[in-house]
Each structure stands twice: as structure tokens, then as C-alpha cells.
Amino acid sequence: MEAILKSYFGFSAFRPYQKEVIQGILRGKDCLVVKGTGSGKSLCYQLPPLVVGKTGIVVSPLISLMQDQVMALKQRGIKSEYLGSTQTDYTVQHKAERGQYNILFMTPEKACSVSTSFWSKLKTAGICLFAVDEAHCISEWGHDFRVEYKQLDKLRDVLPGLPFVALTATATEKVRNDIINSLKMKDPQVTIGSFDRTNLFYGVKSFDRGPLFMNKLVLDISKYVASGGSTIIYCTTIKDVEQISKALEEAGISAGIYHGLMDKTSRAESHRLFIRDEVQVMVATVAFGMGIDKPNVRQVIHYGCPKSLESYYQESGRGGRDGIASVCWLYYTRSDFAKADFYCGESLTENQRTAIMESLMAAQQYCSIATCRRNFLLSYFGEKSQSEKCGNCDNCIDSKKERDMSKEAFLLLACIQSCWGTWGLNIYVDILRGSRAKKIRNAQFDMLPLHGLGKEYSSNWWKALASQLISNGYLTENIRDVYRTISISAKGKKFLNSVRQDCLPPLILPVTSEMIGENENDSALSEAGKMENLATYFQRRENEAF
Ligand code: ADP
Ligand code: ZN
């Protein structure tokens, strides 16, 4: 094995996990490999065919990825081709049946549609593994579900006894189990790498799109440009891409742009300029991604929250590939989290919709927490963290201001309780702020004793408080259809119940970036008398109810 590694790939040693996986495959075991991008997963399926002199079948989602791989393998003297382009398929298939390839790539559609006689001819010629690259595409719970991947299980019966190898860079436990079940893997050998990118600093801030923020952004970027490092700025819309690149240009920083509406040549040109350090800044949508392996990206900025933590991890992970300290800032606005409708197309299944909502909720939670960001990410991917604080994220570094928010929390909880906890957050906030919108009047929510009692705070402030109450377990967020509703948890009920006429138990919460500028030191709720009445009112109602 080492000799083959040296002669074909020029590497002198395996990365420790690679050898384990390859040995597993050679023993005929199914394998699941979850390892970060750039960790060398492809070698796990590239090497066994060379060792045993049989063909390895590899399913991959994109023709462009297969083309790149085939080209690189051919340069190393490894015979390979791909199936999925109608022009060349006939010849390739014919050669494959005679065992002329070390590695044969196919799209999942192709793998499911070729005839059984093709597979039996391949078997006769000799195949040694069936690999599924980007295996998270199998799962409806993943961030990149593809229907065709789901049908790959059919091949299990066509290719009995052949080791199946699933590879992915990101997968939560749910997705991992889904991969194992969908591919009907038998007692698979599971290899999971650490998700911890210790050299990356994680930070999150809420922001307003506008000239003030743009100035700050330009300043942040020019610092890194001066020191020779690169920056990627991920935007959620093409409009943002254009706006930011214009602002940078005006400040004398030349930036490449990249998005899905550009034609192929200008995209390739943009990519090339960035990779070769001819521009140091890339402003892009998430279309800019697969296949970027640039070592010296010092800064990855998200201008708007991504749709899932899987995407965030992958995109921010393009920073600091060389192991040198790099920063990942995420800037978000509340409206980023209301985009579920936009992502939930009509053709989606119930599960897929729920998955999208859950992904967004997790991303929102990541933004809202006042505890260690890294630990949150790690636990999201099912990994235990080393300590309570990583010391390399915004929340670990600067201690947040805190204050007693018991009165405000009480109002919000009481409001939810009054409406039986079956609505979305917007309604509760509108009630507290005294809205007389039609929706409120129709439900007679303007008659509630607490209607308008929270008008001293902005909507965003209340929503930020709700996020804190969710993170701290006083509120629970649920998904109903494609709507998010909020209800009071057992802990929240206990808090409500423990309220005494003139004594609310203190509830110390952090003043998060969304709350800054609004009564940071003390409660602004002026009508203390009313609050007390309210407390009695709820006390009585609770007693009646139980
Ligand atoms: P992944 O599929 O996990 O994203 P790749 O298979 O593309 O990663 O490998 C990333 C890089 O690591 C490639 O440039 C590859 O040549 C290199 N690499 C893989 N295995 C080894 C090894 N054992 N020693 C040195 N470099 C390796
Ligand atoms: Zn931390």
C-alpha cells in the first residue's frame, strides 16, 4: 500500500485515518467517513482499486467535480472516466465492461439507470468498491438533499457483498444515521474526524445594512489586505454582492465578484484571480464554494446569516486552511431568519420543510447564544467540547454586560400564556408593543391587560429577549407546518408561577448585540404598579387553572 501511495500519489505516509478506512474496505467492510474538506477522503476510494487491480465505482453529484477528479487522476497515471455525459457514455461503458478503468465515476442518476447487464459485466470484469461521495445528499435532514441519491439503495441488491463507502464533510448524527440506513449499510466502520478548527475565531453580530456598517466593513477588510491575507465575503443576495464590491472599489480595494448569474467564463476568471492572489477580496454568493482550496484566506465574513449551520461551517471553514489564525465573522439581521418560506419550495416533502425550518432555527440559535460559539457548533455536529470556554470566539473573549430582565421576561411569558402559546413570536411582540393591527383586534388581543405594557422596547429588543429565553430554556420553539410557534416550557411555567405580588425572582440575562442601545443598565418598564397587578392577576388565573 505504501509503495502504491508513493508511486502514484507521491506521498510518503498515509494520514492515520486513511489507512484504517482503506484496510476496512479491503476486508470488505462498509465504511462511513465523516471528515473535513481537504482531509484527504478521496484517497480512501482511490487507493484500493490500485491495490487489488479491480475497478472502483464512485458516485458524485456534479459533472464538474467528476471532470476535475478524472483529469487529476489521469495525470497520475490512474485510468479513470465518468459516466453521465451522453456524448461519451457509450464508449466509456463499453470499456468499463472490459475492466479497463481503475476508477469509474457516475452521477447518481446514471448509477440508478444503467442496465443490470452492465453491472453483471462489471462484476465479471472485477469491481472492488462502491463509493458515494458527498453522501449527506442522501438525507432529507441534510442541507443539500438530492432525490436521486435516495434511490442508490437499489444497488445494494444488484451488488451484493460489495463494500459501500459513504464520504461526507458535514453530517449531524441524524444525517449520519440516515446515510447508514438509506444505503442499508451493514455494521459499518464509522470514522468521524473532529470538527474543531482551532485556528478559526468565531464571532457574530447583528447589523443594519447601511453606510455606517459599510464603512466599518471596508476598514476591517483593508486591514487584512494590508497584511497580505485574503478575505471572502459571503452574501445572501446578488444585490448585496454588487453593493459591497462597489463600496470596496470606491475605497480603492479591488475585489472579485462571484455569483450564479455570471456566465461561466467570468466566473472562472474571478476564481482564477482570487486563487492566484491577483485580487485579495472575493465578494460572492454561496455559489462560490466547491473546490476552493486556498490556504491563506485570513477572513471569512458572512453578510447575512446562512441557511444552516452545515453551510456556515463549510463556508467559514474555507478560512485558515494553512492552520494560521483566521477570523470568521457572521453579521445577521432578524429578517434573515424569516426566510423559511423562501427556501421551502412547494415541491418539498413535509420532512424536507421541517428540516429547513430546523436548520434555520439552529442558525438563529447560533447567532443568539451568549455562550461559547465553538462549543455550540461542535455539539451541533455531535462532538463533545474540551472545556466550557474555547477562548477563541467573541463570547469567550469579551464578557457581556448582564442585567436583571425578570420584569420583561415576566411580561413576555405572561403574554404568551394569555394567548395559550399557540402563536408566532411576532404577535406576542405586537401585543406587548400595543399594536392595534387588524389581526390583533380580531382576536381581541387589544383587550388583554398587558396590551401595550412593553412599548418602551423595540420589536427587535423583544425578539432578542425571546432568543435568550429560548437559549436558557424558558421558552420552546416548535414547528407547525411551515410556521414557527413559541410556547412556555416547564421551566418558564415555574418562573411564571413563582411570581409573587411584589417580588419577581431575578433573571439575569446578557445584553446581546441586538439589545445594545436600549436600556442596557436598567429596566425601562415604567408602569410598575400595573406589573404588580398583573402578577396578582396571573397568580389568580394559575390557581384557578390548577
Ligand atoms: P477531501 O476529499 O477530504 O476534501 P482531498 O481528497 O481532495 O480531500 O484531499 C485534499 C488534499 O490532501 C489533496 O491535495 C490531496 O492530494 C492531499 N492528500 C491526501 N492524502 C494525503 C497524504 N496521505 N499525504 C499528503 N497529502 C495528502
Ligand atoms: Zn468560545
Side-chain angles (χ1 to χ4, degrees):
M1 275 168 53
E2 269 82 3
I4 288 174
L5 183 70
K6 184 82 197 156
S7 65
Y8 281 96
F9 296 92
F11 305 144
S12 42
F14 286 101
R15 293 178 175 158
Y17 86 94
Q18 286 174 329
K19 196 158 178 174
E20 268 168 45
V21 176
I22 292 168
Q23 283 170 337
I25 296 172
L26 292 176
R27 282 201 310 270
K29 274 201 88 77
D30 288 342
C31 296
L32 170 63
V33 186
V34 185
K35 275 274 185 185
T37 312
S39 58
K41 290 186 293 298
S42 3
L43 196 82
C44 300
Y45 58 72
Q46 288 168 347
L47 202 97
L50 303 172
V51 175
V52 297
K54 293 179 180 178
T55 304
I57 309 292
V58 182
V59 168
S60 175
L62 297 176
I63 301 261
S64 58
L65 283 181
M66 294 194 279
Q67 282 168 335
D68 288 353
Q69 286 221 45
V70 166
M71 203 167 68
L73 288 169
K74 279 180 175 167
Q75 277 169 1
R76 298 195 144 130
I78 299 167
K79 286 172 280 175
S80 84
E81 260 311 337
Y82 70 94
L83 279 177
S85 117
T86 34
Q87 285 94 0
T88 53
D89 272 6
Y90 179 75
T91 356
V92 172
Q93 219 162 310
H94 196 64
K95 281 189 175 176
E97 287 169 356
R98 283 178 290 153
Q100 296 194 358
Y101 297 120
N102 301 118
I103 298 170
L104 180 64
F105 292 90
M106 354 183 147
T107 55
E109 293 88 338
K110 196 74 196 180
C112 294
S113 64
V114 286
S115 62
T116 30
S117 86
F118 170 70
W119 289 118
S120 52
K121 280 179 196 158
L122 266 190
K123 271 192 279 185
T124 317
I127 43 180
C128 61
L129 63 86
F130 187 87
V132 181
D133 211 355
E134 310 289 349
H136 57 273
C137 297
I138 279 180
S139 172
E140 285 182 310
W141 301 109
H143 56 108
D144 208 4
F145 175 60
R146 286 167 201 248
V147 185
E148 317 81 49
Y149 260 77
K150 196 93 197 166
Q151 279 141 28
L152 289 172
D153 65 332
K154 285 192 294 200
L155 292 169
R156 198 83 233 201
D157 304 325
V158 182
L159 304 166
L162 191 69
F164 272 46
V165 187
L167 310 104
T168 174
T170 54
T172 56
E173 194 177 355
K174 213 168 180 177
V175 173
R176 291 201 284 271
N177 289 335
D178 227 8
I179 294 172
I180 291 173
N181 293 333
S182 293
L183 286 178
K184 298 184 188 155
M185 293 180 123
K186 283 172 239 132
D187 182 28
Q189 176 177 319
V190 180
T191 307
I192 301 172
S194 170
F195 281 87
D196 196 358
R197 298 283 312 278
T198 47
N199 63 318
L200 297 185
F201 168 92
Y202 295 107
V204 181
K205 269 202 180 87
S206 67
F207 82 117
D208 292 315
R209 285 176 170 74
L212 213 66
F213 181 79
M214 206 57 96
N215 287 344
K216 175 193 149 35
L217 192 68
V218 169
L219 214 70
D220 279 358
I221 290 166
S222 47
K223 261 191 286 183
Y224 283 95
V225 168
S227 65
S230 304
T231 297
I232 302 176
I233 305 167
Y234 276 113
C235 300
T236 44
T237 65
I238 293 175
K239 204 173 124 219
D240 284 343
V241 171
E242 284 163 352
Q243 224 167 36
I244 293 182
S245 67
K246 196 165 146 253
L248 289 172
E249 216 102 297
E250 278 165 8
I253 301 170
S254 69
I257 62 168
Y258 194 103
H259 57 70
L261 287 186
M262 287 161 64
D263 61 60
K264 230 176 161 173
T265 23
S266 16
R267 267 191 289 175
E269 174 66 5
S270 240
H271 188 259
R272 197 185 60 83
L273 289 174
F274 185 65
I275 296 294
R276 295 194 185 168
D277 278 326
E278 287 174 40
V279 294
Q280 279 174 276
V281 184
M282 178 60 90
V283 192
T285 61
V286 292
F288 184 64
M290 297 237 189
I292 309 170
D293 198 6
K294 190 175 187 332
N296 64 338
V297 176
R298 290 281 80 86
Q299 181 172 229
V300 181
I301 293 174
H302 278 75
Y303 188 81
C305 187
K307 65 184 197 308
S308 70
L309 285 181
E310 285 91 339
S311 326
Y312 183 64
Y313 180 79
Q314 206 152 45
E315 286 150 22
S316 61
R318 300 199 172 107
R321 280 285 169 79
D322 51 9
I324 295 173
S326 308
V327 302
C328 308
W329 274 106
L330 192 171
Y331 297 102
Y332 73 100
T333 47
R334 281 270 146 189
S335 55
D336 293 342
F337 309 122
K339 287 194 178 140
D341 291 346
F342 172 74
Y343 294 124
C344 290
E346 277 179 3
S347 59
L348 300 181
T349 65
E350 178 86 26
N351 276 355
Q352 280 174 271
R353 275 197 210 154
T354 311
I356 291 174
M357 302 284 294
E358 281 184 353
S359 296
L360 265 177
M361 265 159 55
Q364 176 167 6
Q365 241 188 319
Y366 174 75
C367 293
S368 311
I369 51 163
T371 48
C372 178
R373 309 264 184 213
R374 182 182 315 277
N375 285 354
F376 188 88
L377 279 177
L378 291 180
S379 87
Y380 183 75
F381 292 114
E383 192 174 328
K384 276 215 177 70
S385 42
Q386 304 296 321
S387 61
E388 202 184 320
K389 289 187 166 203
C390 76
N392 196 19
C393 75
D394 57 346
N395 285 342
C396 285
I397 282 180
D398 41 63
S399 52
K400 281 214 159 64
K401 197 181 248 183
E402 292 181 330
R403 77 164 170 87
D404 179 14
M405 299 189 194
S406 53
K407 281 186 185 172
E408 291 82 354
F410 171 73
L411 255 194
L412 183 57
L413 289 170
C415 180
I416 296 171
Q417 166 119 324
S418 311
C419 312
W420 309 112
T422 49
W423 301 76
L425 183 58
N426 284 331
I427 287 277
Y428 304 131
V429 171
D430 286 348
I431 296 172
L432 288 179
R433 291 185 28 81
S435 156
R436 296 197 189 277
K438 204 162 167 207
K439 213 169 161 184
I440 304 276
R441 278 182 288 129
N442 284 349
Q444 299 199 327
F445 286 155
D446 52 340
M447 312 294 274
L448 289 171
L450 42 64
H451 181 257
L453 285 194
K455 57 181 181 307
E456 286 87 353
Y457 293 89
S458 69
S459 294
N460 270 351
W461 192 94
W462 283 112
K463 289 175 188 170
L465 176 66
S467 297
Q468 287 312 308
L469 292 173
I470 293 169
S471 305
N472 288 283
Y474 291 87
L475 290 175
T476 330
E477 198 161 29
N478 320 290
I479 297 170
R480 255 196 224 178
D481 206 4
V482 281
Y483 296 102
R484 288 157 65 170
T485 63
I486 291 217
S487 55
I488 305 174
S489 68
K491 188 175 172 187
K493 285 195 178 124
K494 209 169 148 209
F495 176 78
L496 264 183
N497 289 345
S498 68
V499 163
R500 292 288 173 270
Q501 209 165 325
D502 50 1
C503 165
L504 284 170
L507 181 52
I508 310 292
L509 292 173
V511 178
T512 61
S513 62
E514 286 178 294
M515 294 173 160
I516 283 176
E518 285 189 55
N519 316 299
E520 289 172 33
N521 300 317
D522 218 346
S523 170
L525 294 176
S526 49
E527 305 178 65
K530 266 196 199 160
M531 290 285 299
E532 279 168 26
N533 291 341
L534 262 183
T536 348
Y537 170 78
F538 278 99
Q539 190 76 44
R540 203 174 61 233
R541 254 182 65 160
E542 277 294 303
N543 290 343
E544 281 163 11
F546 297 102

